[in-house]
Every structure is written in structure tokens, then in C-alpha cells.
Amino acid sequence: MSRLEEQLTEILLEKTPYLQPVFDTADQYLSHYYIGAGIVAQSVWNVKHGYDPAYGIGDADVIYFDPEGSLEEEQQLEKELRKELSRYPFQIDVTNEALVHQWYEEKFHIPIQPYPSIEAAVDTWPSTASAVAVQRKHPGTLKVYAPFGLEDLFGLIVRPNKCLVPEEVYVKKAAKWKKYWPKLTLLPWE
């Protein structure tokens, strides 16, 4: 485990009291999943800014991969997790990454091929700092998947990942993040 992975584990497991309950609840429904994106990146940014652990966090993304699943099953799982975690100050978003290609074009006007894995989906997330997902291997240990490393995340650098997301999506997300976490350095698309 790298030094930054150790720091991320410490932040997520010791300084963000709401993440353990998300893992505990998701464990009841899923055997292989990650928690990622905003809740991970924004927890680090909160520590770096000296903010309350829940500040600015709009959602927790629980992602899994089931090619045999359906969008209805995904929605039902999301409903159950939201109900069980309703006391927390953020919403739970559940995504079966095996099915994203079924709705992505309608939402973002870009057709995509089916993802072959959870990790392949994380590879396409909008910024290098937010393309981070974690699995709880056993109490006190996280497996970190960060295809671009953790340097941008801990360096408060928001760099576009042009793999899939269009420029306007990146620009909108980055501007929103900057309002909450003013120490972020936003790198332009070009």
C-alpha cells in the first residue's frame, strides 16, 4: 500500500464516520462492489480544507457489476439502501456498471459500449481526482482503485479525464466543486 493509499484509508475509515455504515449496509446486499467518486474525493477535500466530514457531500456512489441484472433490480437496491441510510446527510446512488450503456446515450448524448468491469467504468469518470473507488476488504483495510493515482486528489488538483465525459460535464462539475472547496485548482479542458 502506498503512502497516499494509507492516508486515504485513514481519512475514509477514521475521519469520515458515515462511510463504515455505508459499507455495512451495502454488505447486506452485495458481495462485490466499490464505493467511489464524490464521497471519496470530497472526504479528502474536507480534511484538506479543515471542514466537517459531511460538508458538501451530495451522494455516496455504490457501484457493482452484474451483467445478468436489470435496471429495475438496480433501482430497487438503490431504494433499499437509501431507506436504510436515510439518516445520513447525503443520498445513496447505486449503479450496476454492466448496464450503464443502456441509459448513457440518452443522458449524455454519447453512445458507449458496455463496460467489461467496474474498474473500466471508474476509468471513465470525469476527473483524475474523482476517479477513485474503494472496497472494504476487512475492518480497517481498503482496496483502492485509482487509475490515475492519488496525487491529484491529495494535491487538490481537478484535471479532466477526457476518456468519455464531454467538456461541458467536466466544466460544470469542476465549477460546482470549486464553490465548495475553494483551494481546488481547476485545470482547463484544453
Side-chain angles (χ1 to χ4, degrees), residues 90-140:
F90 50 82
Q91 188 153 287
I92 303 297
D93 288 340
V94 175
T95 304
N96 181 351
E97 297 294 353
L99 306 179
V100 170
H101 66 283
Q102 294 181 16
W103 54 262
Y104 195 90
E105 182 175 9
E106 183 178 328
K107 184 173 181 177
F108 294 108
H109 312 292
I110 299 170
I112 64 170
Q113 293 298 312
Y115 291 126
S117 67
I118 296 173
E119 293 82 4
V122 175
D123 292 348
T124 68
W125 287 357
S127 79
T128 58
S130 65
V132 180
V134 295
Q135 285 180 330
R136 183 173 65 179
K137 299 313 281 179
H138 50 77

Side-chain angles (χ1 to χ4, degrees), residues 17-188:
Y18 47 78
L19 198 60
Q20 288 288 2
V22 176
F23 278 118
D24 293 342
T25 304
D27 281 349
Q28 298 172 36
Y29 297 91
L30 297 165
S31 60
H32 180 70
Y33 67 93
Y34 286 87
I35 295 174
I39 196 167
V40 173
Q42 293 160 7
S43 292
V44 171
W45 296 342
N46 281 340
V47 167
K48 295 289 223 169
H49 280 77
Y51 295 164
D52 180 81
Y55 173 80
I57 296 175
D59 61 26
D61 290 292
V62 177
I63 58 173
Y64 68 104
F65 193 84
D66 180 6
E68 303 302 318
S70 68
L71 291 173
E72 293 77 21
E73 291 168 338
E74 174 188 292
Q75 291 166 354
Q76 183 59 38
L77 176 58
E78 182 174 82
K79 182 179 174 182
E80 292 294 325
L81 290 176
R82 284 182 176 182
K83 181 180 174 186
E84 291 195 38
L85 295 163
S86 63
R87 67 186 175 279
Y88 292 97
F90 50 82
Q91 188 153 287
I92 303 297
D93 288 340
V94 175
T95 304
N96 181 351
E97 297 294 353
L99 306 179
V100 170
H101 66 283
Q102 294 181 16
W103 54 262
Y104 195 90
E105 182 175 9
E106 183 178 328
K107 184 173 181 177
F108 294 108
H109 312 292
I110 299 170
I112 64 170
Q113 293 298 312
Y115 291 126
S117 67
I118 296 173
E119 293 82 4
V122 175
D123 292 348
T124 68
W125 287 357
S127 79
T128 58
S130 65
V132 180
V134 295
Q135 285 180 330
R136 183 173 65 179
K137 299 313 281 179
H138 50 77
T141 304
L142 295 178
K143 174 185 175 189
V144 177
Y145 182 73
F148 305 101
L150 297 172
E151 290 78 11
D152 283 355
L153 173 59
F154 279 90
L156 302 175
I157 297 168
V158 178
R159 182 185 318 271
N161 175 14
K162 300 178 185 181
C163 178
L164 176 63
V165 176
E167 179 178 3
E168 61 271 10
V169 171
Y170 167 75
V171 168
K172 184 178 177 183
K173 281 186 177 287
K176 181 178 91 172
W177 294 337
K178 180 74 170 176
K179 286 180 186 177
Y180 283 97
W181 297 279
K183 294 179 185 177
L184 294 176
T185 299
L186 307 184
L187 299 185

